[in-house]
Amino acid sequence: MLQQQLTTLLAQTDIALTEKQQQQLVRYVELLNKWNKAYNLTSVRLPEEMMIKHIMDSLVVAPHLPGHHYIDVGTGPGLPGIVLAIALPNTHFVLLDSLGKRVRFLMHVKHELGLDNVTPVQSRVEEYQPSVKLDGVLSRAFASLQDMVDWCSHLIDHSGKFIALKGVFPSEELESLPAGVKFEQKITLEVPNLDAQRHLIILSKD
């Protein structure tokens, strides 16, 4: 049922995934649904809705990540990090969250799906120091652009990007960006079967 739904949704995009990648995404939804009952990881309760609101919503970002090292701050149950790690097996993702129950879930998913390209970390973002140079900081429903920049600025150098997954275009947030940060690009995302606006906002250090 979920496999069929995923195949139908993917057909509405330009994203090509192998059979193994599709199976990993389906298994991830199954695990998320199972753990959600005890751990309350997401407010989305139905696996069919998770496939649209979480999987596809994260997956459409994959074509816009050119680098090989990213950190997903406030990843929660691994969104978008786990989904992107499945779609981009040659890219490494640090999955950062301050809550132990979420990180335990991420460790389980990493093991269950055999994902060598994710590193779950329990830490507050301000306290985390990356061991490699990062190409970008990802955030989905984590914070305002201003907070994201304030909290995550130490994670990237001048070549790195702040990449925020947003709903409605955040005009007011962009107007109040702190000095030393510039708006680089907005990408309008189309999520199959989701009747809502989605934008990718890319910022860099000035």
Side-chain angles (χ1 to χ4, degrees):
M1 177 83 175
L2 288 173
Q3 179 70 58
Q4 194 175 355
Q5 183 191 14
L6 178 58
T7 304
T8 304
L9 290 166
L10 283 172
Q12 299 173 57
T13 73
D14 294 330
I15 298 166
L17 297 180
T18 64
E19 193 173 325
K20 180 189 175 184
Q21 287 171 311
Q22 292 185 45
Q23 287 169 353
Q24 286 175 314
L25 289 172
V26 168
R27 183 69 186 129
Y28 173 55
V29 171
E30 290 170 350
L31 290 169
L32 186 53
N33 182 47
K34 181 182 174 184
W35 280 59
N36 200 37
K37 294 179 172 81
Y39 283 79
N40 200 27
L41 298 167
T42 168
S43 59
V44 180
R45 298 291 175 203
L46 298 173
E48 298 77 21
E49 281 191 40
M50 290 177 185
M51 194 61 84
I52 296 166
K53 294 180 178 176
H54 288 334
I55 304 304
M56 297 307 299
D57 195 50
S58 300
L59 207 52
V60 292
V61 177
H64 307 291
L65 300 183
H68 290 290
H69 291 94
Y70 289 91
I71 182 168
D72 178 11
V73 293
T75 187
L79 299 163
I82 288 284
V83 178
L84 293 171
I86 291 170
L88 303 167
N90 296 321
T91 301
H92 190 272
F93 293 88
V94 173
L95 308 178
L96 193 78
D97 204 276
S98 58
L99 269 189
K101 67 178 183 179
R102 293 180 187 148
V103 176
R104 282 193 295 278
F105 172 69
L106 294 171
M107 294 296 280
H108 181 73
V109 169
K110 173 186 167 89
H111 174 73
E112 184 89 10
L113 302 185
L115 296 176
D116 298 329
N117 60 331
V118 300
T119 304
V121 175
Q122 183 180 351
S123 172
R124 291 172 59 84
V125 65
E126 307 95 301
E127 295 160 5
Y128 180 72
Q129 294 293 337
S131 57
V132 297
K133 195 176 115 177
L134 296 168
D135 295 298
V137 177
L138 293 164
S139 113
R140 178 183 187 260
F142 168 61
S144 69
L145 292 176
Q146 186 156 4
D147 284 345
M148 181 189 182
V149 167
D150 287 345
W151 296 338
C152 303
S153 209
H154 67 287
L155 298 174
I156 55 171
D157 62 16
H158 275 77
S159 63
K161 311 289 183 196
F162 300 98
I163 303 166
L165 287 69
K166 292 284 186 179
V168 176
F169 185 71
S171 306
E172 287 183 17
E173 290 181 33
L174 285 167
E175 283 168 18
S176 55
L177 282 179
V181 175
K182 64 178 179 184
F183 168 57
E184 205 162 273
Q185 189 182 9
K186 77 154 187 178
I187 298 167
T188 304
L189 302 170
E190 297 290 336
V191 182
N193 293 17
L194 186 68
D195 187 22
Q197 289 186 47
R198 286 290 183 269
H199 291 93
L200 201 60
I201 304 299
I202 301 175
L203 312 173
S204 62
K205 292 186 177 182
D206 219 344

